[in-house]
């Protein structure tokens, strides 16, 4: 049983539904949970009373789906009245994102967990490995799957037309900080540093998060090398600079890699831990992602 | 396994970001570019020089141009400065004036000047200009200087006017009138010939401000055509001198008997806003059209029409007017050509950035041919 | 000396913009500033043109034309910030006029780069940083938009809003009014740009502008010249200085929460402020309705 009023377009601020609703002619309580693209706001109904409603926070189409809730969560509010509670998740799918357009074009099923702009926990991301150490892999987050490229502007050409071949888009020149001329920034303390154009969010894959089996025997060097494009999932927000990522799943791991530390050709996976460069037969070790989902 | 496996796929924008070279090669192998243009197809450019009202609504702007290509928009505005000529250069001007502009061959580079462009690319940052903006500005400055587009003589202010303040005794109101030696010669008869103010000679300095919105490709070409268009649109005003504070010399004015006063000691320069006296800037040539090319090695899957299956053939392809992440980041062998209306090459820059895709003479020749063809069509 | 920009030879002088030598005196300025709609009911809101998504390398953008004002807003973000962990987003607004534009009120603030300021011999293209006027607009816009953004949803990131003023109205009327009118429309345009960038917001912020004359009448969306003409008919004294101007911004669907207010002018008492706020609220609601239908249309 799912309710999906897919045609309703909402603008930010527009009320979608109250958080609780009594179904007509029955004792069933409908509970609505605010999902992505929505927010909860208190609306004054009269001078004294307010209603809690779920309002849209982005422009898009409303999807309301019933979800199964473990009974434990339901009890705490309504265990005295033995009423049946149905729970619905309210999400607003944005008007467009790279993946949405792609899925529409190819008539694929629209994925439910459309990501809005920022990598969040449990989002699947595509990262580029920038540095490896014995214990962890450093990388930058290029794209959020089912969302967009993280940066609209890749920073190409900021240091000159061809400089990106020798210098990374963000590095090289003096800081391009936009900090000094900004009018003010009431919302943050001034300790934060802004980054340069083309500088991505960063992530870390710790060696124990590389694969799910034999975690203690993982060798980072046999799993990832700088320049590899890796599909991973976000574990947590991490610290000030890095997200924490994991590739401990069959469909996570290297998706694109070049042989001989990036100077060779594109390699193809042989099995889950070997890749081959078909032009010269070099076989290198990688933790490969299963390319079939 | 009989169940159909769904392969993980990436939208084109994502593929271009994560593995640009793969994205580019996959497109090229089917004969298209990532921006869906043909190999030698240019992106259309719209130029709206006279459709904008920047010049008419801003008194300090004397030429402007808006160039659009796709979503990229370039707004160029020309403002003016004035610089005093040193004596040595004044004499060369006088010689130049006698010369006909056509025999440019006799002129040396130092008889030409350039514009002073400041490029401002909207990329979500502020502060000092980025390397990109500085390189582009310098590049445009040098290109225009060496293409001998603007002669110093064309920027010389030939007849500097004088503002004369008359005080009407009856109403006690000041009335300012401006006189020019060529239009009102009779006014200047009374002036002492030694007047230092009028002896000084001035030239205009052209400042260009180029604002770039929605930068998605290399933009030298767009900036160049925008500046050239703004220069064609540029109308130079008359300039006059005022100084009412230390007025010493009295001049008899043309249409009244009151005595006007002319400032000489410390003068300030002013621009006359009289539209009718504006005159267009004389350009030594048309300016031409700038094109850029890239060379990239591709692997062609030969069609099996012929008897033997020649599997792969490596060809270096020439692409015109690079655009988009995949092309911009992968193609490192570049050619930039400016060709003017007479099919003369005004600028040629060549970077062999990629050992595998070297620009051969043949490719260079093709690029030049295309650039010439384009300059003819436009 | 600025070594990063090409600003011409060192001894370059920027000439003053003088007068015209035409016989009839001053340069005939084209009569601008009155749009076609202004002849209708005076409490109508001027027509405006709005477009989104024109800037490809920004996360969101909006372009607005109203009267002769042309405003472009780009939203960049969420972009990463580094340093210590910050659990919510940072938000900044930078508002800039293109360098050749004369900024409303610059004769009061004495901005250094202005051509009509006789002691400035600098090339406007070399201006660094913001002028007082740009600061004023930037901080109003930032104050008004900040409460609407759900910052908690964007840890470790920043949103930067860049406003470019491409054209302004010719200064035929009170510069304060021009400045506040511009600010009013920048807020509306920036809100739409935020929506276009898919930034999660509590509500769309819209704002309105009103003018109150000596007798306490509220005029919604004043458009300079019309009112000035009326003033001249009434009496010719310095009534302009007695007028009270107010800009106020609201989140209409969030209990009409007031998120920004800017009042300038003569005698201001509580009654008048209430009137001004109510007037602005009316106007903001009309604009909001327009923006809503624009956004919904853009999706279908």
């Amino acid at each position: 049983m799912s309710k999906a009023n897919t045609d309703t377009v909402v603008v930010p601020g527009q009320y979608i539904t109250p958080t609780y609703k009594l179904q007509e002619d029955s004792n069933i309580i409908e509970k609505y949970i605010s999902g992505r693209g929505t927010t909860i706001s208190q609306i004054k109904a009269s001078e004294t009373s307010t209603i809690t409603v779920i309002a849209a926070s982005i422009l898009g189409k409303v999807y309301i789906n019933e979800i199964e809730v473990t009974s434990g969560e339901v009890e705490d509010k309504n265990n005295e009245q033995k009423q049946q509670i149905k729970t619905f998740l309210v999400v607003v799918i944005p008007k467009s994102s790279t993946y949405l357009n792609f899925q529409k074009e190819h008539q694929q099923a629209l994925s439910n967990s459309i990501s809005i702009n920022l990598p969040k926990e449990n989002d699947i991301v595509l990262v580029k490995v920038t540095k490896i150490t014995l214990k962890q892999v450093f990388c930058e987050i290029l794209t959020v799957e089912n969302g967009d490229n993280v940066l609209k502007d890749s920073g190409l050409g900021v240091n000159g037309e061809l400089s990106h071949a020798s210098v990374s888009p963000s590095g090289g020149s003096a800081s391009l900080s936009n900090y000094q001329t900004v009018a003010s920034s009431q919302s943050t303390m001034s300790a934060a540093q802004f980054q340069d154009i083309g500088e991505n969010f960063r992530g870390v894959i710790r060696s124990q998060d590389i694969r799910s089996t034999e975690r203690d025997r993982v060798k980072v060097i046999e799993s990832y090398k700088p320049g590899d494009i890796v599909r991973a999932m976000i574990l947590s927000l991490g610290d000030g600079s890095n997200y924490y990522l994991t590739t401990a799943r069959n469909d996570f791991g290297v998706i694109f890699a070049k042989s001989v530390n990036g100077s060779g050709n594109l390699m193809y996976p042989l099995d889950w831990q070997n890749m081959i460069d078909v032009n010269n037969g070099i076989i290198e070790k990688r933790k490969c992602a299963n390319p079939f989902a | 396994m009989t169940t159909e496996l769904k392969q993980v796929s990436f939208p084109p924008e994502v593929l271009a970001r994560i593995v640009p070279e793969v994205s580019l090669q996959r497109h090229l192998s089917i004969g298209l570019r990532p921006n869906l243009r043909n190999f030698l197809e240019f992106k259309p450019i719209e130029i709206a020089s006279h459709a904008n009202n920047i010049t008419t609504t801003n008194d300090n702007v004397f030429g402007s141009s808006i160039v659009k290509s796709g979503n990229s928009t370039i707004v160029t505005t020309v403002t003016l400065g004035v610089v005093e000529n040193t004596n040595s250069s004044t004499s060369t001007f006088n010689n130049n004036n006698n010369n006909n502009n056509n025999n440019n061959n006799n002129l040396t580079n130092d008889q030409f000047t350039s514009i002073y462009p400041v490029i401002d690319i909207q990329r979500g940052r502020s502060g000092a200009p980025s390397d990109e903006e500085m390189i582009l500005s310098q590049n445009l400055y040098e290109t225009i200087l060496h293409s001998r587009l603007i002669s110093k003589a064309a920027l010389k202010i030939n007849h500097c006017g004088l503002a004369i303040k008359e005080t009407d005794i009856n109403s006690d109101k000041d009335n300012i009138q401006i006189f020019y030696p060529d239009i009102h010669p009779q006014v200047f008869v009374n002036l002492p010939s030694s007047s230092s103010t009028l002896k000084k000679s001035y030239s205009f300095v052209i400042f260009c401000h180029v604002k770039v919105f929605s930068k998605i490709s290399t933009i030298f070409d767009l900036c160049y055509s925008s500046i050239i268009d703004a220069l064609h649109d540029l109308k130079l005003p008359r300039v006059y001198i005022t100084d009412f504070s230390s007025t010493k010399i009295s001049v008899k004015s043309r249409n009244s008997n009151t005595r006007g006063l002319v400032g000489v000691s410390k003068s300030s320069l002013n621009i006359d806003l009289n539209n009718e006296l504006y005159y267009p800037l004389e350009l030594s040539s048309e300016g031409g059209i700038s094109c850029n090319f890239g060379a990239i090695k591709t692997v062609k899957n030969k069609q099996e029409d012929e008897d033997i299956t020649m599997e792969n053939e490596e060809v270096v392809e020439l692409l015109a007017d690079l655009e988009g992440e995949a092309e911009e980041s992968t193609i490192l062998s570049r050619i930039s050509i400016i060709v003017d209306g007479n099919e003369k090459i005004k600028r040629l820059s060549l970077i062999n950035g990629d050992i595998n895709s070297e620009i051969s003479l043949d490719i260079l020749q093709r690029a030049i041919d295309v650039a010439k063809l384009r300059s003819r069509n436009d | 000396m600025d070594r990063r920009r090409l600003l011409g030879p060192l001894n370059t002088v920027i000439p003053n913009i003088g007068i015209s030598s035409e016989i009839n005196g001053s340069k005939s300025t084209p009569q601008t500033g009155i749009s076609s709609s202004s002849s209708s009911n005076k409490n109508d809101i001027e027509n405006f043109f709005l477009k989104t998504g024109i800037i490809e390398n920004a996360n969101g953008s909006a372009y607005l034309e109203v009267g002769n004002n042309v405003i472009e807003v780009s939203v960049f973000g969420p972009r990463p910030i580094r340093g210590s962990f910050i659990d919510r987003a940072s938000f900044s607004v930078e508002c800039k006029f293109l360098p050749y534009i004369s900024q409303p009120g610059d004769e009061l603030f004495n901005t250094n780069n202005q051509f009509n300021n006789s002691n400035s011999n600098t090339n406007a293209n070399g201006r660094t940083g913001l002028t007082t006027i740009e600061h004023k607009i930037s901080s109003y816009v930032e104050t008004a938009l900040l409460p609407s953004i759900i910052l908690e949803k964007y840890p470790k990131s920043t949103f930067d809003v860049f406003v470019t003023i491409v054209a302004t109205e010719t200064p035929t009327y009170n510069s304060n009014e021009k400045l506040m009118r511009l600010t009013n429309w920048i807020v509306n345009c920036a809100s739409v740009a935020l929506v276009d960038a898919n930034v999660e917001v509590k509500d769309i912020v819209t704002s309105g502008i009103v003018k109150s004359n000596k007798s306490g009448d509220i005029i919604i969306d004043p458009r300079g010249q019309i009112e000035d003409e009326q003033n001249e008919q009434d009496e010719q004294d310095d009534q302009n200085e007695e007028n009270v101007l107010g800009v106020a911004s609201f989140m209409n669907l969030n209990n009409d929460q007031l998120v920004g207010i800017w009042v300038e002018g003569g005698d201001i008492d509580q009654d008048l402020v209430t009137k001004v706020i109510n007037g602005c609220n009316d106007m903001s609601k009309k604009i909001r309705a327009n923006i809503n239908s624009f956004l919904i249309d853009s999706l279908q």
Side-chain angles (χ1 to χ4, degrees):
Chain A
M1 252 191 77
S2 69
K3 255 167 118 180
N5 15 355
T6 54
D7 283 340
T8 323
V9 175
V10 286
V11 296
Q14 188 173 335
Y15 319 138
I16 298 171
T17 169
T19 44
Y20 286 95
K21 205 155 84 178
L22 196 63
Q23 232 176 40
E24 278 174 41
D25 309 327
S26 71
N27 254 354
I28 302 168
I29 290 176
E30 293 182 349
K31 182 191 179 186
Y32 293 90
I33 297 174
S34 151
R36 283 186 171 176
T38 64
T39 183
I40 290 175
S41 63
Q42 311 284 336
I43 301 304
K44 262 189 206 148
S46 64
E47 284 297 310
T48 50
S49 67
T50 60
I51 307 174
T52 310
V53 299
I54 293 177
S57 64
I58 55 168
L59 174 67
K61 289 183 176 172
V62 185
Y63 288 76
I64 301 175
N65 290 306
E66 188 172 355
I67 49 168
E68 298 290 323
V69 184
T70 46
S71 52
E73 284 179 25
V74 185
E75 267 172 39
D76 42 294
K77 274 196 177 174
N78 291 299
N79 51 359
E80 296 100 355
Q81 318 148 4
K82 293 235 170 69
Q83 278 176 325
Q84 209 187 336
I85 291 180
K86 278 186 174 175
T87 312
F88 297 91
L89 181 69
V90 185
V91 292
V92 176
I93 306 280
K95 55 174 183 172
S96 73
S97 76
T98 306
Y99 269 88
L100 262 182
N101 293 340
F102 182 67
Q103 285 164 345
K104 272 181 204 154
E105 235 167 69
H106 294 258
Q107 276 134 30
Q108 293 175 357
L110 297 183
S111 31
N112 244 341
S113 58
I114 287 296
S115 173
I116 303 160
N117 284 343
L118 190 70
K120 294 188 175 73
E121 276 114 330
N122 295 329
D123 273 347
I124 297 171
V125 293
L126 304 177
V127 304
K128 185 180 208 168
V129 177
T130 52
K131 183 170 103 176
I132 55 172
T133 66
L134 280 178
K135 289 196 173 142
Q136 52 195 5
V137 180
F138 291 92
C139 49
E140 51 176 342
I141 301 174
L142 299 178
T143 305
V144 184
E145 215 162 89
N146 293 327
D148 277 306
N149 288 336
V150 172
L151 295 179
K152 280 282 174 185
D153 193 328
S154 63
L156 273 182
V158 153
N159 298 312
E161 246 171 54
L162 293 176
S163 64
H164 55 266
S166 51
V167 190
S168 83
S170 53
S173 65
S175 171
L176 305 175
S177 137
N178 53 3
Y179 192 51
Q180 287 150 359
T181 44
V182 166
S184 68
S185 201
Q186 304 168 358
S187 51
T188 13
M189 51 200 129
S190 52
Q193 293 170 283
F194 293 91
Q195 301 204 329
D196 298 341
I197 300 174
E199 206 162 340
N200 274 298
F201 286 96
R202 293 186 186 161
V204 157
I205 310 170
R206 295 171 302 170
S207 66
Q208 66 264 37
D209 293 326
I210 288 181
R211 62 180 189 220
S212 47
T213 55
E214 293 182 293
R215 290 161 175 244
D216 40 354
R217 287 169 135 195
V218 173
K219 281 186 185 154
V220 170
I221 189 93
E222 288 179 359
S223 306
Y224 302 120
K225 291 205 173 134
D228 291 359
I229 302 294
V230 174
R231 190 162 179 252
M233 190 171 75
I234 297 195
L235 274 184
S236 78
L237 282 177
D239 56 24
S241 325
N242 297 306
Y243 280 86
Y244 279 42
L245 310 170
T246 178
T247 57
R249 226 168 80 178
N250 280 350
D251 54 338
F252 294 155
V254 174
I255 46 176
F256 289 104
K258 281 182 170 178
S259 61
V260 214
N261 286 326
S263 62
N265 302 299
L266 205 64
M267 298 192 291
Y268 296 92
L270 286 173
D271 54 36
W272 71 274
Q273 55 181 356
N274 287 298
M275 290 187 106
I276 185 166
D277 177 344
V278 287
N279 284 25
N280 52 19
I282 293 175
I283 293 181
E284 289 189 15
K285 282 204 173 299
R286 292 288 199 286
K287 196 275 178 195
C288 304
N290 182 353
F292 302 102
Chain B
M1 278 258 272
T2 47
T3 50
E4 204 184 318
L5 287 170
K6 206 184 106 211
Q7 198 176 353
V8 175
S9 50
F10 307 100
E13 294 88 343
V14 171
L15 198 67
R17 178 66 58 88
I18 60 175
V19 272
E21 65 276 22
V22 172
S23 166
L24 180 65
Q25 292 295 352
R26 281 190 189 168
H27 278 99
L28 295 184
S29 68
I30 56 165
L32 267 184
R33 291 163 58 185
N35 47 36
L36 305 182
R37 278 192 262 134
N38 287 323
F39 288 0
L40 287 177
E41 188 180 336
F42 287 85
K43 196 171 182 181
I45 300 178
E46 288 168 56
I47 298 178
S49 50
H50 302 291
N52 75 69
N53 59 359
I54 299 171
T55 316
T56 48
T57 50
N58 292 282
D59 284 346
N60 53 337
V61 177
F62 296 92
S64 61
S65 154
I66 296 176
V67 168
K68 269 184 80 110
S69 177
N71 266 337
S72 301
T73 307
I74 319 260
V75 182
T76 302
T77 46
V78 178
T79 51
L80 294 174
V82 170
V83 68
E84 195 178 317
N85 298 323
T86 51
N87 281 336
S88 59
S89 58
T90 338
S91 55
T92 34
F93 281 137
N94 296 336
N95 297 338
N96 270 1
N97 282 341
N98 304 333
N99 274 348
N100 196 328
N101 266 336
N102 289 338
N103 45 9
N104 272 350
N105 301 333
N106 305 332
L107 303 176
T108 55
N109 251 350
D110 54 73
Q111 281 158 333
F112 289 91
T113 184
S114 186
I115 55 160
Y116 294 90
V118 171
I119 315 280
D120 181 359
I121 302 171
Q122 174 92 312
R123 285 189 96 165
R125 58 173 293 277
S126 56
S130 67
D131 291 3
E132 181 183 27
E133 290 159 343
M134 289 189 273
I135 294 168
L136 203 54
S137 304
Q138 186 69 32
N139 228 337
L140 286 163
Y141 170 83
E142 308 239 333
T143 302
I144 289 176
L145 178 66
H146 294 293
S147 64
R148 298 185 169 189
L149 192 61
I150 305 164
S151 72
K152 283 185 177 167
L155 287 182
K156 195 185 172 227
I157 299 169
N158 285 320
H159 301 287
C160 198
L162 274 178
I164 294 170
K165 186 161 75 174
E166 293 170 348
T167 309
D168 197 337
I169 304 159
N170 301 329
S171 60
D172 212 29
K173 273 189 176 170
D174 287 345
N175 181 24
I176 298 169
Q177 280 196 312
I178 303 163
F179 298 106
Y180 294 98
D182 53 334
I183 304 175
H184 321 99
Q186 71 278 21
V187 178
F188 288 80
V189 173
N190 290 345
L191 273 183
S193 55
S194 62
S195 166
S196 62
T197 317
L198 295 174
K199 265 280 176 75
K200 278 180 187 167
S201 99
Y202 297 96
S203 285
F204 283 117
V205 177
I206 301 176
F207 304 127
C208 274
H209 183 266
V210 183
K211 179 83 186 177
V212 181
F213 292 106
S214 196
K215 185 237 174 212
I216 44 167
S217 54
T218 57
I219 45 167
F220 177 85
D221 294 352
L222 289 181
C223 291
Y224 182 77
S225 41
S226 180
I227 287 178
I228 293 297
D229 185 51
L231 288 177
H232 281 292
D233 182 51
L234 174 62
K235 298 221 165 41
L236 298 173
R238 290 280 186 140
V239 169
Y240 65 89
I241 296 168
T242 54
D243 186 25
F244 304 126
S245 55
S246 54
T247 45
K248 290 282 177 281
I249 302 165
S250 58
V251 179
K252 201 177 170 199
S253 151
R254 180 173 52 143
N255 41 7
S256 79
N257 286 325
T258 49
R259 291 263 159 184
L261 299 169
V262 180
V264 278
S265 62
K266 196 176 135 247
S267 55
S268 70
L269 289 162
N270 299 277
I271 282 173
D272 185 348
L273 289 179
N274 187 353
N275 268 329
E276 288 159 20
L277 294 179
Y278 283 13
Y279 58 100
L281 170 71
E282 229 173 82
L283 295 175
S284 313
S285 67
E286 276 295 301
I289 284 156
S290 172
C291 309
N292 73 81
F293 301 90
I296 185 79
K297 186 177 78 179
T298 58
V299 179
K300 259 196 183 162
N301 290 332
K302 269 256 166 164
Q303 299 285 315
E304 295 182 29
D305 307 333
E306 293 158 37
D307 38 5
I308 304 162
T309 51
M310 275 250 310
E311 275 199 345
N312 292 331
E313 190 196 14
E314 290 187 346
V315 199
V316 177
E317 284 288 354
L318 183 70
L319 306 184
D321 205 2
L322 303 184
E323 179 199 353
E325 252 180 280
E327 291 183 357
E328 241 190 293
S329 63
T330 314
I331 302 176
L332 300 177
S333 290
R334 309 259 182 105
I335 311 170
S336 168
I337 306 171
I338 298 176
V339 179
D340 73 1
N342 304 325
E343 298 198 9
K344 267 191 185 163
I345 296 175
K346 288 287 184 181
R347 172 182 191 258
L348 191 132
S349 127
L350 188 144
I351 305 165
N352 246 332
D354 188 351
I355 321 162
N356 295 320
S357 333
E358 270 189 18
I359 301 167
S360 60
L361 268 180
D362 170 54
I363 287 182
L364 182 62
Q365 186 58 52
R366 265 167 64 204
I368 292 173
D369 289 345
V370 173
K372 280 185 176 169
L373 189 69
R374 190 163 184 239
S375 74
R376 218 179 306 156
N377 287 345
D378 287 11
Chain C
M1 182 190 166
D2 192 338
R3 289 175 191 279
R4 306 192 205 213
R5 299 176 181 84
L6 299 175
L7 299 176
L10 269 183
N11 55 342
T12 309
V13 177
I14 309 296
N16 302 320
I17 299 300
I19 55 167
S20 170
S21 61
E22 270 169 282
I23 312 299
N24 54 5
S26 69
K27 188 192 175 195
S28 60
T29 9
Q31 284 301 308
T32 48
I34 306 177
S35 73
S36 53
S37 68
S38 62
S39 53
S40 56
N41 184 1
K42 71 172 180 184
N43 272 0
D44 271 358
I45 291 161
E46 189 165 8
N47 293 337
F48 59 95
F49 172 81
L50 186 62
K51 203 174 174 196
T52 55
I54 44 164
I55 307 291
E56 259 175 68
N57 59 352
N59 292 67
S61 57
Y63 172 90
L64 184 132
E65 279 179 23
V66 59
N68 281 331
N69 292 316
V70 179
I71 301 158
E72 183 274 335
V73 181
S74 306
V75 177
F76 293 84
R79 297 196 289 193
I81 30 178
R82 58 189 160 202
S84 51
F85 185 86
I86 294 162
D87 60 353
R88 59 206 190 115
S90 144
F91 178 68
S92 72
V93 176
E94 188 192 285
C95 173
K96 264 194 158 176
F97 290 80
L98 287 185
Y100 55 86
I101 294 173
S102 79
Q103 303 178 8
D106 54 8
E107 68 280 5
L108 296 175
F109 291 105
N110 207 11
T111 47
N112 197 33
N113 63 311
Q114 282 314 304
F115 56 84
N116 50 8
N117 186 346
S118 56
N119 54 12
S120 77
N121 273 339
T122 49
N123 183 346
N125 290 350
R127 173 158 65 90
T128 55
L130 302 182
T131 63
T132 331
I133 298 155
E134 289 169 338
H135 261 296
K136 219 172 167 176
I137 302 176
S138 303
S139 46
Y140 180 83
V141 176
E142 189 189 4
T143 316
L145 294 182
L146 188 59
S148 76
I149 299 168
I150 309 176
L151 297 170
E152 308 82 65
K153 292 207 180 186
Y154 300 94
K156 311 204 295 188
S157 44
T158 163
F159 289 104
D160 303 303
V161 174
F162 288 83
V163 181
T164 311
I165 295 148
V166 184
T168 58
E169 273 155 3
T170 38
T172 44
Y173 56 93
N174 189 321
S175 64
N176 231 347
E177 186 172 329
K178 191 181 162 192
L179 175 62
M180 290 173 83
R181 238 172 86 72
L182 191 61
T183 311
N184 173 56
W185 287 107
I186 289 173
V187 170
N188 293 326
C189 184
S191 303
V192 178
L194 282 177
V195 174
D196 185 54
N198 279 337
V199 178
E200 293 201 51
V201 289
K202 295 196 189 91
D203 193 11
I204 303 171
V205 173
T206 48
S207 66
I209 178 168
V210 297
K211 181 157 133 185
S212 136
N213 57 23
K214 208 176 188 178
S215 46
D217 296 333
I218 295 282
I219 300 151
I220 290 177
D221 193 20
R223 265 155 270 164
Q225 285 158 319
I226 323 157
E227 322 309 340
D228 289 345
E229 281 162 22
Q230 284 178 346
N231 288 344
E232 278 165 35
Q233 287 163 9
D234 293 346
E235 41 187 301
Q236 279 224 322
D237 61 10
D238 296 341
Q239 196 157 20
N240 252 334
E241 307 209 339
E242 311 243 347
N243 289 334
V244 172
L245 278 164
V247 173
S249 310
F250 302 87
M251 294 201 277
N252 287 322
L253 284 177
N254 211 319
N255 308 321
D256 272 340
Q257 194 182 329
L258 180 66
V259 289
I261 181 164
W262 175 4
V263 180
E264 284 206 23
D267 298 327
I268 304 169
D269 57 18
Q270 204 179 340
D271 256 13
L272 191 59
V273 171
T274 317
K275 269 192 193 168
V276 166
I277 290 176
N278 288 338
C280 289
N281 195 6
D282 286 349
M283 178 167 166
S284 76
K285 277 180 178 157
K286 283 182 190 163
I287 291 172
R288 176 63 192 272
N290 275 309
I291 288 177
N292 278 356
S293 53
F294 167 79
L295 289 174
I296 289 171
D297 282 351
S298 74
L299 205 62
Q300 280 159 352

